[in-house]
Amino acid sequence: CELQKVVLERERAESAEKTHAERIRALYEIAALSGLTFEQQIAKILRLGCRLFKLDIGKVCRVNEEKSTSEFICVVAPDGCNISKDTILDLARTICSITYNLDRPLVINNMGESQYKEHPSYKNTCLETYLGTAIWVNDVKFGTINFSSFNPSGPFNESDEDLLRLIGRLVSVTLERKHAANEIQKSKEAAESA
């Protein structure tokens, strides 16, 4: 009986390690793709996150602290879902308001049974599952990346949180590259007009 437990535990560990390696490989493949716009690359990252976490919606949100808003700058969602790019919401009415201020990922497996069940976001969207983390661009807090679903999901573990952090970092680097490319273009245009 004890030997059987050891064997089962080893098999679980090997399976978890294999899954982790597959996830990292999938992220690497997206990071290594050439010929995509920055927006296309972020959309691919979000689609991969949705697939890996088995959730329906992926979003990158820019937080404007001065205006207290959250803007969806990239969204991946099923057809018929009323969530789209360029949507701007009052920050206090979003779960991003919580995520943005945390130093760790926020993971909610079942919003209706969580401490957030009275949050305005839950009342407005009925999203049951939420995984999100703050993202930084050029050492400045930018916003959040999050994945969600209308159905309870999970449970999620430490490996999922690590993956979420890694996905967030990949999006951050992509946004930093976009910012650098924009600055180069502005400099080039300024030099050409001088």
Side-chain angles (χ1 to χ4, degrees), residues 107-119:
V107 177
I108 305 168
N109 296 314
N110 188 335
M111 188 84 73
E113 295 181 6
S114 76
Q115 69 190 55
Y116 304 105
K117 65 184 174 192
E118 299 300 322
H119 193 280

Side-chain angles (χ1 to χ4, degrees), residues 164-184:
L164 179 61
R165 282 187 196 93
L166 186 57
I167 290 171
R169 187 64 194 127
L170 183 55
V171 167
S172 294
V173 168
T174 303
L175 291 169
E176 288 169 356
R177 287 184 23 243
K178 178 181 179 182
H179 178 74
N182 289 344
E183 291 299 312
I184 290 169

